[in-house]
Amino acid sequence: MELIFILAAFIAGLVVIKCHLPPLVGFLITGFALHAYGYESNHTINQLADLGVTLLLFSIGLKLDIKTLLSKEIWVSATVHNILCTLMFTLGLLALKFLGLNSLAVLSLGQLVLIGFALSFSSTVFAVKSLQEKGEMNAIYGTIAIGILVMQDIFAVIFLSASTGKLPEWYAVLLFLLPFLRPVLYKIMDWVGHGEMLVLFGIFAALVLGGGLFQLVGLKPDLGAIILGMLLSGHSKTSELAKSLFNLKEMFLVCFFLNIGLSADPTLTGLLLALLLLLLLPLKGALYFWLLHKHHLRVRTSLLATLSLFNYSEFGLIVAGLAFKMGWLPNDIMVTIAIVVPLSFIVSAPLGRQGHALYQKTSQWLKPQSIEQLNPKDGIINPGNAQVLILGMGRIGSGAYDELHERYGNICLGIELTPDASELHQSEGRNVITGDATDPDFWERILVKEHVKLVLLAMPHNQANRVALDLLKEHQFNGHIAAIAEYNDQKAELIEAGAHAAYNVYNEAGTGFARHVCEELKTEFSAHS
């Protein structure tokens, strides 16, 4: 039976990918189709589905940046949106109930609020994949959208943890000691190295330390998974661990989406209600835009973030699935949410792909913020009197900065991706700001004036340098552009794409190293022909 599930899910996933939709749409459809042919879920599918949700929450914990979440435009927007959106959907469902919609007629106010809460979330999986495809994960609007989604995920985890209705054991207070174990967990991460041992450690942390300990004291394992992820989030191997677990988590989540379809009976009433809820989606999007605009973000940032969040969520499915399992919601409602989520993806996908074009067409009708009122994170960047921009302040970028500063004085402005790295350079006396040169937003915000004569592309990855080069050309930069490359074919590509000069990192490093040794040591050699 499992082989049939895998085959059907693979074919359906392949079809929806060709339609430029997330594979989970195909997995949900597969579940409904298999259920219609008499197939049902089983213990194995249920177990794997639970593992998928646990690893998803653990992965979210690994990516949590508390500083980001504490930004007002994120935590205030997420909280207010969740409350207002739940209220909006509850009122909408009440109106439909009084209009005589059969599937809502027997539901209490509490049940309607629960449905509204499930619909208030936006899809983390959909947004992340969409941003990755466009290469805009680090764009300002992308980080804001992801921050709001993480806050929503936390709300969902709190609900899942409280859903049992049971008080935890008295010794649950010992869990407050977990942060003191962080150095021990870090040391273990150092010991396990890479590869399969790192993956095994991640599973151990999520399922045993997180899920097992929290279940032992009467709390939901899901809450334990996200907290353990947060405890590990500052380690240097966090990103590697998240990438290592990614495919495993995605495979188990296939079972979760299959399970939704296998557990519910599709009904015409459920489909009709799903179509009605789809009509309320623009109100959800308008609420996002209004809240972000209130935090003085540029119209472009607010609009693109809204389009990334313009959908219903797999977490809504998780919440509704638990409510259905516990008898709080009837089958029709479970079917409705399972249908409206993939429908919202079908609507959201083309809007997200055309986000920049939509902004160009609608910006004239949307009221912009004045420059003085703009949020500092989204404000205009003035490079001052800098004549050289250095994109990427790693060892090569820092070396170039110091050499130019020694020769010509204070003519450089360095651009570094993370605030911590920027602050470190600033403490060492360099003129460095935080920015992402691969983000189209960055080039919209920075005032590259005529006195900027040279841009050095010194980021560690060739793809990033290539993207920045394309954006510079797109914004009609008239100065010179020089780039670094790891391989000679990359040098040729950069020159062909418009760079005026490109340098092989290893060749240049070897030449410079030999020159430096000869100058410093003054070793005398005998020449040979």
Side-chain angles (χ1 to χ4, degrees), residues 50-256:
D50 290 341
L51 283 175
V53 173
T54 302
L55 289 178
L56 172 65
L57 295 171
F58 179 69
S59 299
I60 289 168
L62 290 174
K63 298 173 184 176
L64 275 179
D65 182 349
I66 301 301
K67 291 180 183 177
T68 301
L69 296 183
L70 291 178
S71 301
K72 282 204 313 184
E73 60 269 14
I74 289 178
W75 76 263
V76 171
S77 297
T79 304
V80 173
H81 186 274
N82 185 261
I83 293 169
L84 294 182
C85 206
T86 300
L87 178 62
M88 178 188 73
F89 281 116
T90 301
L91 292 174
L93 292 168
L94 271 173
L96 292 174
K97 177 180 178 177
F98 286 125
L99 288 173
L101 199 67
N102 291 337
S103 56
L104 300 177
V106 296
L107 298 184
S108 65
L109 179 61
Q111 288 173 306
L112 296 179
V113 171
L114 180 57
I115 299 168
F117 179 67
L119 294 172
S120 68
F121 302 114
S122 296
S123 172
T124 303
V125 173
F126 184 88
V128 168
K129 289 190 174 182
S130 175
L131 289 167
Q132 284 176 336
E133 286 175 4
K134 293 186 289 184
E136 297 178 0
M137 279 288 288
N138 293 319
I140 290 175
Y141 87 87
T143 57
I144 289 172
I146 295 299
I148 289 173
L149 289 166
V150 169
M151 286 298 300
Q152 291 182 350
D153 295 343
I154 291 172
F155 300 152
V157 170
I158 292 171
F159 170 81
L160 294 173
S161 299
S163 62
T164 57
K166 296 186 297 184
L167 291 174
E169 303 292 343
W170 65 268
Y171 42 84
V173 294
L174 296 175
L175 294 176
F176 287 104
L177 298 175
L178 280 175
F180 297 102
L181 293 177
R182 176 179 263 191
V184 178
L185 295 172
Y186 275 22
K187 184 62 68 176
I188 295 173
M189 280 190 80
D190 291 333
W191 288 341
V192 298
H194 308 276
E196 67 272 13
M197 282 302 296
L198 184 63
V199 175
L200 191 58
F201 171 73
I203 295 171
F204 169 76
L207 302 183
V208 180
L209 292 180
L213 279 178
F214 275 66
Q215 193 168 26
L216 191 65
V217 300
L219 291 170
K220 289 282 286 184
D222 300 329
L223 181 61
I226 200 168
I227 287 177
L228 257 292
M230 290 171 65
L231 287 178
L232 297 173
S233 63
H235 195 278
S236 59
K237 287 185 182 175
T238 297
S239 178
E240 182 184 350
L241 177 58
K243 290 176 183 176
S244 299
L245 290 174
F246 180 80
N247 289 329
L248 194 63
K249 173 201 71 180
E250 293 289 287
M251 184 180 70
F252 289 149
L253 283 175
V254 172
C255 296
F256 169 77

